[in-house]
Amino acid sequence: MEKRQENLHCAFHLKGIPVSRGIAISKAFPLSGESVKIDPANISEAEIEAEIERFKQAVEKAKGELRSLQTKVARRIGQESAKIFDVHQLLLEDVLIIDETVDYIRRKHKSADFAFHDIMQKYQNTFDETSIEFFQGRASDIKDVKRRVIKHIQGDRTDYLNKLKGSAVVVAVDLTPSDAVKLDRHKLMGFATDLGGRTSHVAIMARSMGIPAVVGLRRISKVIKADDRIIIDGNEGVVLIEPDEETLSYYRDLQEKYYDTERRLSEIRDLPCITTDGKEIELSANLEFSDEAPSAKSHGACGIGLFRTDYLYLAKESLPTENEQVKDYSKIARVLAPDAVIIRTMDLGGDKHPKSLAIPPEENPFLGWRAIRISLERKDIFRTQLRAILRASRHGNIKMMFPMISGMDELLECKHEVEKVKVALRSEKIPFDENIELGVMIEVPSAAMLADRIAVHVDFLSIGTIDLVQYVLAVDRGNERIAYLYQHLHPAVLRTIERIVKAGHQAGVWVGMCGEMASDPLATLILLGLDLDELSVSPMSVPQIKKIIRATDYLDAVRITKKALTFDKARDVERFMTKVMRQRYKDIVF
Ligand code: PEP
Ligand code: MG
C-alpha cells in the first residue's frame, strides 16, 4: 500500500484536519466561485432612489463582511493571507465605482445589481484580457467584490447556496452554520474548508450527516475550480484535486474497504451496549435535523442524547413557530419512542446567527450573548420553545435540557419559566408530560465547580465537552491555528469530568456526555472508568463505540482510567490510550 501511495498524482494535494470520517469522490462546488443571476428588466422612476439606497447599504454590508473575514483569516492563517482583503476593501471605497453605479441606475433605470455587475464586468474584462499574472489576480479580486456586493443587494432574493446541482463536495473558506443549513443535504457528498477545527459546526454537521469532511486546509478555496474532480479522505485529512486515473482507482478501493468495515460494524446495532462483566451504558446519538432521526436509530442508538434545536432557527428567515417546533420535536419523539429524546433549548449566538434574531457583533462571541443568556433575555422566543417542547412531550419520551448554564440563578429562572408555561398549558387544557425530566448541560467551568448544587435541582446532567474543553483550556473551539492545544484528554479536563460525575451521582442523578469527546474511541475506556451513565455520540460513531464497550471489562476500564489519571500531560494520556487500544481493540479502532 505504501508503494502505491507514492504513485498517486493529482493537480493539488492538501493536508488538513480530518473531522468526519469516510471517503468522498465527487465534483467540487466552490461557494465563492458561483455566478450570479441578474435581472435585466428596467425599474420605474419611482424606484430609483430606493434602488440607490439598496446599493449603498449592500456596499456597507460587504465592507463589514470583509472586515470580519479579514480579522478571522489574519488570526487563523496569518497577516499575509489577510492582505488580499485590503484590495477588496479599496475597491469598495473607490468613489469612482460607487458614483458610476449610482449614475448608471439613475440614467439607465436599471436595478442596482444589474448596474454594479455591468460596471465591474467592464473592469474585470480589461484585466482578464491581459496575460500578466498580476493583473489576472486583480480580475479575480474584482469578480469576488462584484459577487459579494451583488449577494448583498439581492439579499435573500437569490440564495446562491441553493444552487448546488447534482451531488458535490462543497468547498469554502469557511462555512457558517447558517450557510451550511441552506445547502441541499441530499446532494452533499462532503465538505472541505480553509478554516475550522474539529468542533466547528461544519464538522458537527458533517458527522451528523455521515459525510466526510476535512477542514483547516488553509488555501483550498483559492485553488479549487467549479466541477474539479475532488477526493476527500476524512479519515486521514487529505484532499486531492484533479487526481489521475491510478489515484482515483486507489481511492475507490480504499472507499470500498472503508464502507465494508462500516457495514460490518453496523451488524451489532441491535445488540445491547453492555460490558463483558455486565455494566450497561446508555448509548444515544446527537441529532441536528429531525429527518435524520431514523438514521440515528438504524445506527443502533438507544435514544437521542442531544437534539440541537439551533438549526431550526438557522434554516429560516423567520423564527420557527410554536406549531412548526411541535411538529419537529414530536416527529423525533415518535421515531425513537419508547427511547428518550433530549431536546436542548436553543443555543444561538457564538457562531450561530439566525437571520430572525439580531445578535450584534461582539469581541468575544463565545463568551458573550449566547445560548441561555439569549433565551432568558428574549423570553418571548424562549417561552414559545418551552411550549413546543412540552406540547410535543406527550408523543414520546422527551426530556428538556438547558445549554451554557453558568450559575444557579440561570437554572432557577429556566425552571421558573417552565413552570409558568406549564400553568398556561394546563389552563388552556393542552396535554403534556407533567413529569418531563429537566437537565442541564455542564459546559462552563463554573457549572462544573457547582455541579453538586446544580444536580440537586435537575434530573440529569450532560457534559458538553466541546465548550467545556474550550473554556477549561482557554482554546477557541474553531481555531485551527491552536487546534493542537484543544485536547479533551488533557488531565485538567479529565479531572473536571471526574468531579462532575461524582457530584451528579452524589445528588442521585445520572450523568451523561453529549460533547464530541464521547465519540472519540481513544476516550471510551476512560469515560467508562469515570462512571458516566450515558454517552451521546454522532450517529456514525455509534457502532464503533458500542463495539468497544461490548469488548470491555468494566473493572479493567476502571484500572486503565486510574492509570490515565496519573499523567500530567495530554500527550502522555493520548500515548497511553493509543497503546491500550492498539493492543486490545486493533480490529475496531485502527
Ligand atoms: C458541547 O459544547 O459539547 C455541545 C454539545 O454543544 P454545542 O456543540 O452545540 O455547543
Ligand atoms: Mg456547547
Side-chain angles (χ1 to χ4, degrees):
M1 184 153 109
E2 282 302 307
K3 191 153 180 40
R4 287 199 63 188
Q5 231 166 345
E6 280 168 18
N7 295 332
L8 302 182
H9 295 292
C10 59
F12 289 98
H13 175 284
L14 299 160
K15 182 92 181 85
I17 306 168
V19 295
S20 181
R21 294 176 64 74
I23 293 168
I25 304 172
S26 187
K27 63 181 175 33
F29 179 76
L31 277 190
S32 49
E34 79 295 343
S35 56
V36 281
K37 262 212 182 85
I38 308 290
D39 186 358
N42 281 3
I43 57 170
S44 70
E45 185 75 33
E47 287 170 309
I48 287 178
E49 289 315 311
E51 202 60 17
I52 291 172
E53 188 50 35
R54 217 148 65 87
F55 167 63
K56 288 185 175 165
Q57 278 181 15
V59 170
E60 287 313 307
K61 278 189 197 155
K63 280 191 202 164
E65 188 178 68
L66 275 173
R67 269 195 301 275
S68 73
L69 206 57
Q70 186 165 30
T71 321
K72 217 165 168 183
V73 170
R75 231 180 34 208
R76 299 188 181 180
I77 300 183
Q79 290 292 351
E80 210 43 47
S81 305
K83 276 195 184 137
I84 173 93
F85 297 110
D86 283 341
V87 181
H88 295 194
Q89 287 283 9
L90 281 176
L91 279 167
L92 285 176
E93 271 152 25
D94 189 322
V95 184
L96 209 70
I97 293 177
I98 307 294
D99 287 351
E100 217 177 327
T101 310
V102 170
D103 188 50
Y104 194 115
I105 299 171
R106 280 218 172 92
R107 272 188 309 107
K108 302 198 178 179
H109 286 207
K110 289 290 181 191
S111 65
D113 37 355
F114 187 94
F116 189 67
H117 182 270
D118 212 27
I119 286 163
M120 294 301 271
Q121 195 63 45
K122 187 180 71 189
Y123 290 116
Q124 189 184 323
N125 291 346
T126 325
F127 286 125
D128 262 343
E129 280 154 18
T130 159
S131 58
I132 302 166
E133 206 179 313
F134 172 80
F135 290 120
Q136 284 171 351
R138 296 297 71 80
S140 82
D141 290 336
I142 291 175
K143 192 167 153 200
D144 195 272
V145 168
K146 179 180 73 182
R147 180 194 58 78
R148 197 175 295 283
V149 173
I150 290 175
K151 182 184 81 177
H152 285 295
I153 296 172
Q154 297 184 334
D156 307 318
R157 279 190 295 165
T158 32
D159 206 330
Y160 67 93
L161 295 166
N162 285 332
K163 294 201 182 116
L164 180 58
K165 286 194 205 83
S167 26
V169 164
V170 167
V171 181
V173 176
D174 195 9
L175 211 59
T176 64
S178 21
D179 279 344
V181 90
K182 287 179 200 136
L183 294 160
D184 182 343
R185 283 179 286 129
H186 304 292
K187 294 177 188 160
L188 275 176
M189 302 296 284
F191 286 119
T193 59
D194 292 352
L195 304 179
R198 249 202 89 69
T199 57
S200 48
H201 277 275
V202 57
I204 292 171
M205 272 192 61
R207 286 194 291 272
S208 139
M209 292 176 208
I211 58 172
V214 180
V215 302
L217 287 154
R218 291 173 168 244
R219 61 189 187 100
I220 187 157
S221 69
K222 315 271 179 319
V223 296
I224 201 78
K225 291 193 298 305
D227 295 332
D228 271 353
R229 196 187 283 263
I230 184 168
I231 297 174
I232 304 266
D233 182 345
N235 303 336
E236 299 296 328
V238 168
V239 173
L240 299 109
I241 299 168
E242 290 292 273
D244 66 5
E245 271 314 311
E246 196 180 346
T247 309
L248 262 178
S249 93
Y250 170 79
Y251 271 96
R252 281 198 189 108
D253 282 355
L254 212 60
Q255 191 182 37
E256 212 173 289
K257 276 191 205 124
Y258 173 75
Y259 289 106
D260 235 35
T261 316
E262 288 288 289
R263 265 189 295 279
R264 268 187 287 117
L265 269 175
S266 68
E267 283 160 12
I268 65 158
R269 82 172 173 214
D270 296 324
L271 300 177
C273 186
I274 188 165
T275 61
T276 51
D277 48 349
K279 181 168 164 82
E280 212 161 333
I281 309 291
E282 197 97 357
L283 185 60
S284 41
N286 292 348
L287 194 71
E288 275 73 42
F289 305 98
S290 60
D291 55 0
E292 272 155 23
S295 148
K297 207 175 157 94
S298 68
H299 277 86
C302 69
I304 300 298
L306 165 67
F307 176 51
R308 287 183 167 96
T309 55
D310 328 327
Y311 292 90
L312 268 171
Y313 295 81
L314 293 165
K316 285 178 60 206
E317 308 298 314
S318 52
L319 288 164
T321 64
E322 184 178 319
N323 282 342
E324 280 166 353
Q325 292 185 61
V326 174
K327 204 166 143 208
D328 231 49
Y329 306 155
S330 310
K331 186 164 136 192
I332 308 170
R334 283 197 194 97
V335 172
L336 271 299
D339 291 330
V341 174
I342 301 180
I343 300 185
R344 178 182 71 179
T345 61
M346 61 184 187
D347 183 358
L348 302 171
D351 60 352
K352 285 180 255 172
H353 288 219
K355 286 240 166 63
S356 52
L357 188 64
I359 302 175
E362 294 175 304
E363 282 289 322
N364 292 301
F366 278 99
L367 299 179
W369 201 49
R370 196 192 153 193
I372 207 66
R373 299 168 186 182
I374 296 183
S375 296
L376 292 176
E377 197 174 316
R378 288 298 307 268
K379 295 239 175 77
D380 51 330
I381 305 175
F382 191 39
R383 281 183 198 136
T384 304
Q385 182 167 40
L386 296 181
R387 277 180 68 93
I389 298 173
L390 283 165
R391 280 178 57 194
S393 66
R394 72 190 187 101
H395 297 296
N397 180 5
I398 285 183
K399 302 178 199 292
M400 193 189 304
M401 174 160 82
F402 306 113
M404 223 194 151
I405 295 289
S406 62
M408 197 63 84
D409 282 342
E410 284 168 340
L411 171 60
L412 297 181
E413 207 177 335
C414 287
K415 287 186 70 176
H416 183 63
E417 285 306 315
V418 173
E419 277 316 307
K420 283 210 302 212
V421 172
K422 280 184 173 180
V423 169
L425 289 175
R426 274 184 215 117
S427 74
E428 292 167 51
K429 303 224 172 338
I430 296 177
F432 63 91
D433 175 4
E434 285 279 355
N435 301 313
I436 188 167
E437 289 188 16
L438 302 182
V440 157
M441 280 191 81
I442 304 290
E443 49 183 349
V444 178
S446 55
M449 299 302 285
L450 276 180
D452 54 335
R453 310 286 172 90
I454 289 175
V456 172
H457 297 273
V458 290
D459 301 294
F460 64 92
L461 305 177
S462 184
I463 307 176
T465 52
I466 306 185
D467 279 312
L468 188 65
V469 172
Q470 124 163 305
Y471 297 133
V472 166
L473 301 181
V475 179
D476 180 342
R477 61 191 268 176
N479 186 339
E480 65 291 320
R481 187 177 238 182
I482 47 161
Y484 72 100
L485 286 174
Y486 189 94
Q487 301 158 317
H488 50 225
L489 290 175
H490 193 291
V493 174
L494 298 184
R495 286 183 190 199
T496 311
I497 296 169
E498 186 183 28
R499 182 190 175 100
I500 300 167
V501 179
K502 279 193 179 140
H505 287 175
Q506 260 158 27
V509 303
W510 62 265
V511 184
M513 177 179 285
C514 59
E516 195 39 43
M517 183 177 184
S519 301
D520 178 5
L522 271 195
T524 310
L525 298 196
I526 297 182
L527 300 179
L528 262 177
L530 288 177
D531 244 0
L532 276 131
D533 305 289
E534 179 240 27
L535 299 179
S536 189
V537 304
S538 57
M540 66 202 285
S541 302
V542 170
Q544 191 185 37
I545 302 295
K546 191 187 274 187
K547 195 142 189 182
I548 294 173
I549 292 173
R550 287 180 55 81
T552 301
D553 181 274
Y554 168 64
L555 291 178
D556 198 27
V558 172
R559 271 191 296 274
I560 289 167
T561 305
K562 276 207 179 109
K563 172 83 180 154
L565 287 170
T566 62
F567 295 108
D568 295 338
K569 296 185 208 144
R571 222 172 332 123
D572 293 338
V573 181
E574 254 169 57
R575 227 178 264 138
F576 169 64
M577 289 314 296
T578 307
K579 201 166 139 211
V580 169
M581 298 311 281
R582 279 229 163 92
Q583 278 165 353
R584 306 174 189 212
Y585 304 89
K586 197 167 187 325
D587 295 346
I588 313 173
V589 181
F590 299 99

